[in-house]
């Protein structure tokens, strides 16, 4: 990703000295349409007060340039950092980056196709324009890449450059002092933000879908925060019929809009996409007719939904009888609504020896990891960081992260608590469901370290439980 410095209210002369394409500079007139709000509720009097305070303290590019709007953007960045369980240093790095890239503005333009606070580019896999202009999404994408590096110890300017790969790497170090000051001033006024996620209702808490023997599907909605830590507290409701005719039902955010779609594979191997936009369709998921999106899936022993590439669109992993795994990449926006349009490629072997393969973003970096459970109930974590590892997922050796999983009839990956780290739900033969919470950062890289707790009963009556 190549980033160029965007215009500053007080630094036009500096910007003109940089290699920003003239067409970009001249095509973005200084008007309100150049920016979009960071906080959908606008700015506050506290934002304005902090801006006044900071204008007397800052020494770099932002001196006398802080506004209530810029503080609101910093506030949303920090809230997102807090939602990931990360410390203030992560916020200092992120805000320093936005000073250089956009002077802390959510811009609708930039060099080439760059947009947003961090000037991320859709053409380089950072997401769609709409996604990148969502500051929570954009900040999470930045943080996910930042976590690949030694961000706790290396200089702030160096970390910014490692993430952004700018043509002007020295600029970040020059603004690090102001980035630290702004983060420190705004930290205490920011509440954790709601993380974008993949759920039926489109919030950050994973819902459950239960299909009974007659093919009726019921939605168990989850709002962990609203319901005082009790997921699926409200009664389920029917959201569909006729699902008994599908040999496989796969939950996946195919369209990348944050709402869980469904993929149904019939006995002949034809795959159909049931699109879901819970908000648009007045709370009725999968209300429109399905459409065919593939054939030949009956030859695979397993189909695993996983955002392997970290672009917000769910890819598919197919494992054949010999244990070879192939990646079917999906970028719904780039490929004109045709998921998995390109040829698959092999990404692993030897998977036939595992009794279960579970997709889960264990590390919270936006790339789906894999959990493999063997016949003895030992669980191993195959970490994935697609960007860091040059497009080769699960390149490092796995490590054990648990034992005793053979006694559970079902293991369901779900971000129940909405913190960006995938939790696990275990259902035993009696239908009791237990929640194994995961916060990889907080717990020093040991997922599900605390004791599980019961979160439901009666799940043995469902032939399928989807998350």
């Amino acid at each position: 990703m190549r980033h160029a410095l965007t215009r500053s209210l007080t630094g036009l002369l500096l910007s003109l000295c940089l290699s920003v394409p003239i067409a970009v500079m001249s095509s973005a007139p200084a008007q309100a349409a150049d920016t979009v709000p960071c906080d959908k509720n606008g700015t506050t009097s506290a934002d304005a007060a902090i801006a006044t305070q900071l204008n007397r303290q800052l020494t770099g590019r932002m001196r006398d340039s802080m506004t209530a709007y810029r503080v609101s953007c910093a506030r949303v960045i920090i809230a997102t950092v807090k939602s990931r369980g990360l410390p203030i240093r992560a916020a200092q790095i992120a805000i320093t980056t936005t000073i250089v890239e956009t002077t802390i503005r959510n811009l609708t333009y930039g060099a080439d196709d760059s947009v947003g606070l961090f000037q991320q580019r859709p053409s380089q896999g950072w997401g769609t324009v709409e996604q990148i202009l969502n500051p929570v999404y954009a900040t999470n994408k930045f943080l996910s890449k930042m976590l690949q590096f030694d961000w706790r110890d290396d200089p702030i300017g160096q970390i910014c450059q490692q993430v952004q790969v700018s043509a002007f790497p020295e600029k970040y170090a020059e603004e690090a002092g102001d980035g630290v000051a702004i983060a420190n001033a705004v930290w205490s006024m920011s509440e954790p933000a709601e993380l974008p996620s993949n759920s039926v209702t489109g919030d950050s808490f994973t819902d459950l879908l239960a299909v009974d023997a007659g093919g009726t599907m019921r939605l168990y909605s989850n709002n962990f925060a609203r319901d005082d830590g009790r997921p699926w507290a409200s009664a389920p409701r029917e959201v569909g019929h006729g699902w008994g005719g599908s040999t496989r039902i796969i939950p996946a955010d195919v369209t990348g809009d944050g709402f869980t779609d469904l993929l149904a594979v019939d006995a002949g191997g034809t795959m159909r996409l049931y699109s879901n936009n819970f908000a648009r369709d007045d709370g009725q998921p999968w209300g429109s007719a399905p459409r065919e999106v593939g054939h030949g899936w009956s030859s695979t022993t397993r189909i695993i939904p996983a955002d392997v590439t970290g672009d917000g669109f769910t890819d598919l992993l197919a494992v054949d009888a010999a244990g070879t795994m192939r990646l079917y990449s999906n970028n719904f926006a780039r490929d004109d609504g045709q998921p998995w349009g390109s040829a698959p490629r092999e990404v692993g072997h030897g998977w036939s020896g595992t009794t279960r393969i579970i997709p889960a973003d264990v590390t919270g970096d936006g790339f789906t990891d894999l959990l493999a459970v063997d016949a003895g109930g030992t669980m191993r974590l195959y970490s994935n960081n697609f960007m860091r590892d040059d497009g080769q997922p699960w390149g490092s050796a796995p490590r054990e992260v648990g034992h005793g999983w053979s006694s559970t009839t079902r293991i369901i990956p779900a971000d129940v608590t909405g913190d960006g780290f995938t939790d696990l739900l275990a259902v035993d033969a009696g239908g009791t469901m237990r929640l194994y919470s995961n916060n990889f950062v907080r717990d020093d890289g040991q997922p599900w370290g605390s004791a599980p707790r019961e979160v439901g009963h009666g799940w043995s009556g469902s032939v399928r439980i989807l998350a």
Side-chain angles (χ1 to χ4, degrees):
M1 175 176 60
R2 179 175 65 83
H3 282 278
L5 302 178
T6 51
R7 292 173 299 170
S8 167
L9 294 178
T10 60
L12 287 176
L13 181 59
L14 172 62
S15 295
L16 290 173
C17 294
L18 304 179
S19 299
V20 179
I22 298 300
V24 173
M25 298 295 293
S26 61
S27 64
Q31 55 185 354
D34 286 355
T35 64
V36 293
C38 287
D39 185 338
K40 62 183 179 182
N41 297 316
T43 62
T44 67
S45 58
D47 294 333
I50 291 290
T52 300
Q53 169 192 321
L54 285 168
N55 280 330
R56 296 192 295 265
Q57 299 175 357
L58 303 180
T59 59
R61 190 180 187 192
M62 298 308 302
R63 182 173 178 81
D64 295 325
S65 295
M66 289 301 293
T67 62
Y69 169 72
R70 286 184 165 98
V71 172
S72 75
C73 291
R75 175 164 48 79
V76 173
I77 291 170
I78 289 175
T80 309
V81 169
K82 287 185 173 182
S83 293
R84 294 283 288 263
L86 297 172
I88 194 170
R89 180 172 171 81
Q92 294 167 348
I93 295 167
I95 290 176
T96 297
T97 301
T98 62
I99 291 174
V100 173
E101 297 292 344
T102 60
T103 61
I104 325 181
R105 293 174 297 162
N106 198 11
L107 293 178
T108 60
Y109 69 95
D112 299 315
D113 59 340
S114 300
V115 294
L117 282 161
F118 298 90
Q119 290 291 276
Q120 293 158 334
R121 297 183 60 185
S123 64
Q124 294 192 357
W126 289 87
T128 66
V129 170
E130 181 181 10
Q131 287 174 323
I132 295 171
L133 287 175
N134 178 336
V136 176
Y137 173 92
T139 302
N140 271 304
K141 295 296 282 189
F142 176 89
L143 294 172
S144 292
K145 189 174 180 184
M146 180 198 75
L147 291 172
Q148 302 171 29
F149 307 109
D150 190 10
W151 61 276
R152 293 180 183 272
D153 299 312
D154 285 346
I156 287 178
Q158 179 178 327
I159 299 301
C160 298
Q161 171 61 12
Q162 286 174 315
V163 176
Q164 300 295 99
V165 195
S166 170
F168 307 97
E170 72 283 355
K171 298 301 177 185
Y172 300 114
E174 294 173 3
E175 304 300 335
D178 279 2
V180 169
I182 294 168
N184 291 349
V186 180
W187 181 263
S188 62
M189 65 186 293
S190 299
E191 295 297 328
E194 183 176 278
L195 290 168
S197 188
N198 176 10
S199 71
V200 176
T201 59
D203 61 14
S204 60
F205 307 96
T206 303
D207 311 302
L208 291 182
L209 297 166
V211 182
D212 63 23
T216 297
M217 180 180 286
R218 291 177 173 85
L219 168 63
Y220 290 76
S221 297
N222 168 35
N223 191 308
F224 199 80
R226 179 196 64 207
D227 297 334
D228 298 323
R230 171 60 59 178
W232 318 296
S234 56
R237 66 181 180 92
E238 290 187 10
V239 290
H241 303 275
W243 291 96
S246 302
T247 58
R248 291 166 176 161
I249 306 173
I250 304 161
D253 185 7
V254 178
T255 60
D257 61 0
F259 299 94
T260 303
D261 309 303
L262 291 180
L263 297 167
V265 181
D266 63 25
T270 297
M271 180 180 285
R272 291 177 173 85
L273 168 63
Y274 291 76
S275 297
N276 167 37
N277 190 307
F278 200 80
R280 180 195 64 209
D281 297 336
D282 298 323
Q284 185 58 40
W286 319 295
S288 55
R291 67 182 180 90
E292 290 187 10
V293 290
H295 303 275
W297 290 95
S298 57
S299 62
T300 59
T301 58
R302 291 166 176 160
I303 305 174
I304 304 163
D307 185 5
V308 178
T309 60
D311 62 359
F313 302 94
T314 304
D315 311 301
L316 292 182
L317 297 167
V319 182
D320 63 23
T324 298
M325 180 180 286
R326 292 177 173 84
L327 169 62
Y328 290 77
S329 297
N330 168 37
N331 191 306
F332 201 79
R334 180 195 63 209
D335 297 335
D336 297 323
Q338 185 58 41
W340 318 296
S342 55
R345 66 180 180 92
E346 290 187 10
V347 289
H349 303 275
W351 290 95
S352 57
T354 58
T355 58
R356 291 165 174 157
I357 305 174
I358 304 162
D361 185 5
V362 178
T363 60
D365 62 359
F367 302 93
T368 304
D369 311 301
L370 291 181
L371 298 167
V373 181
D374 63 24
T378 297
M379 181 180 285
R380 292 178 173 83
L381 169 62
Y382 290 77
S383 297
N384 167 37
N385 193 305
F386 202 78
M387 286 189 178
R388 180 195 63 209
D389 297 334
D390 297 324
Q392 185 59 40
W394 318 295
S396 55
R399 66 181 182 92
E400 290 187 9
V401 289
H403 304 275
W405 290 96
S406 57
S407 62
T408 59
T409 58
R410 292 165 177 160
I411 305 173
I412 306 159
D415 185 5
V416 178
T417 60
D419 62 359
F421 302 93
T422 303
D423 311 301
L424 292 180
L425 298 166
V427 181
D428 63 24
T432 297
M433 181 180 285
R434 292 178 173 84
L435 169 63
Y436 290 77
S437 297
N438 168 37
N439 190 307
F440 200 78
V441 172
R442 180 195 63 208
D443 297 335
D444 298 322
Q446 185 59 41
W448 319 295
S450 56
R453 65 181 181 91
E454 291 188 10
V455 290
H457 304 275
W459 290 96
S460 56
S462 302
V463 295
R464 291 170 173 145
I465 305 173
L466 311 170

